Each structure stands twice: as structure tokens, then as C-alpha cells.
Amino acid sequence: EYLGATAIEDVLQDNLQETLINLREAGIKFWMLTGDNPLTAVSIGHSSGLIDDSFESVVFNNCDIKEISAKLVNIIDSKYTNKVCFVVTGQVLAYIFSLNKKGLKKIFTLAILKSDCFIGCRVSPKQKAEIVLLVKNEVPENSTLAIGDGANDVNMISSAHVGIGIQGVEGTQASRASDFSIGQFSY
């Protein structure tokens, strides 16, 4: 017997594609970290304008160490003729970030920094922060900026050089944990 139910519609915000285009032209590299499954995450990447048909998606999902290593080396060695969208699941991230896989983590870092786009899917709030910290620590001359709209983004926002919280239907946790709070992404 149901006592109640709630739902939040997660829709793309106005002017998202135009904003991404303008920021990309300014030399900013975008990564998307989400709890969605790989197919949904890539679909959102397309509909938001983060990636387009010129990108080749290299998906890391339920891979063994040989497959992970081979795909990473192909990205590093530029074996792909199109722009590369690196898509990795939280399960694979957990494997790569495990303490006994330091060599694999180094290769992973080189590959994600070389790829044109990174989509982390089925990632936990802790993993979102780990990705931000990885880039922050490995490329100290660059600045990291994390943008989120929910409580699951607080760790990521707090880990970045600059954290931006979007006020919205998912509550105020992201805005309260951020350096800056905005009404929507295009701002």
C-alpha cells in the first residue's frame, strides 16, 4: 500500500547548447559526471550539445584490466580519427582508483586529459569529487570549476577550485556549499 510518492522532472535548461558553445570557444573543456546509466548519459551529452556526431564514444563498462588498458593506450596514442568522448562507469572508476592499481590510474589520467570529452556515468558523489581532485592535483596549472544542482553534487563542488551551485527543484544543498549560486546554467 503506497503512502505517497514524489518525483522531480530533470530537464535540460534553457540556452544550454549556446552556453556550452560559447564556453568551449573560450577554451574551456567540459566533463559531465552523472548518476545516469551510460546510454542515458551519452544521450544527454548529444541533446545538450556537449558532444555531437563527430565524436567517437569509447565506453568503459564491465571491462577487465586488459580491455581497459588497451582502450586507454589507444586514446593516449590517438588511434581514433574522430574526437573522443571518454565514457566510464562508476564501477570501472572504482576499479581504476583502487589502491593496488596505481599504474592503471596514471594511464587513466593521461587518457582523460587527452580526450576531447569525459562522461562519468553511474558515479557516486564521492567519485565526482575524486575526478575533480584528480584533475586538480595532476594539472595544477589549470583551474577546476564544478557546477551542480543537487545534494549529490556537494562533494564535487567543494573539491573544485571554484564551485557553482544552481538553485532549482532539487533543493538548496548545492547552492549552500558553493562559492557562487546561480539560477540557471546559462548565467
Side-chain angles (χ1 to χ4, degrees):
E1 184 175 313
Y2 291 104
L3 297 176
T6 185
I8 296 173
E9 183 180 15
D10 201 6
V11 296
L12 297 178
Q13 294 190 355
D14 295 336
N15 302 319
L16 179 61
Q17 288 186 359
E18 295 85 3
T19 304
L20 289 174
I21 290 168
N22 290 335
L23 292 171
R24 190 174 279 133
E25 286 175 358
I28 295 173
K29 192 172 187 176
F30 286 95
W31 293 8
M32 181 173 77
L33 305 174
T34 179
D36 292 323
N37 68 55
L39 290 176
T40 303
V42 170
S43 177
I44 292 168
H46 279 283
S47 60
S48 67
L50 181 65
I51 57 175
D52 58 34
D53 292 336
S54 68
F55 280 82
E56 184 169 348
S57 294
V58 180
V59 181
F60 294 76
N61 185 14
N62 299 324
C63 304
D64 62 16
I65 192 164
K66 282 186 175 184
E67 186 178 353
I68 292 170
S69 297
K71 287 180 177 182
L72 292 174
V73 168
N74 284 341
I75 292 170
I76 293 167
D77 291 344
S78 301
K79 298 282 184 181
Y80 298 96
T81 55
N82 295 334
K83 293 185 281 186
V84 173
C85 178
F86 193 121
V87 182
V88 63
T89 63
Q91 180 183 11
V92 173
L93 279 176
Y95 180 72
I96 291 170
F97 277 68
S98 64
L99 294 175
N100 59 349
K101 304 285 188 279
K102 288 184 181 175
L104 186 59
K105 185 177 176 183
K106 188 66 176 169
I107 295 169
F108 172 79
T109 303
L110 292 171
I112 61 173
L113 294 174
K114 185 135 188 190
S115 66
D116 301 291
C117 180
F118 179 85
I119 296 177
C121 44
R122 289 282 188 232
V123 293
S124 69
K126 179 184 177 199
Q127 289 173 318
K128 288 180 179 185
E130 287 175 337
I131 291 292
V132 170
L133 290 171
L134 176 73
V135 175
K136 189 176 178 179
N137 295 331
E138 292 296 322
V139 194
E141 65 275 9
N142 287 353
S143 296
T144 57
L145 182 143
I147 302 172
D149 64 353
N152 61 339
D153 298 318
V154 169
N155 291 344
M156 173 183 69
I157 288 169
S158 299
S159 297
H161 288 101
V162 179
I164 298 179
I166 301 175
Q167 302 166 1
V169 295
E170 292 199 28
T172 60
Q173 294 93 334
S175 291
R176 285 187 284 149
S178 66
D179 300 308
F180 300 95
S181 180
I182 59 176
Q184 59 180 298
F185 183 77
S186 63
Y187 297 167

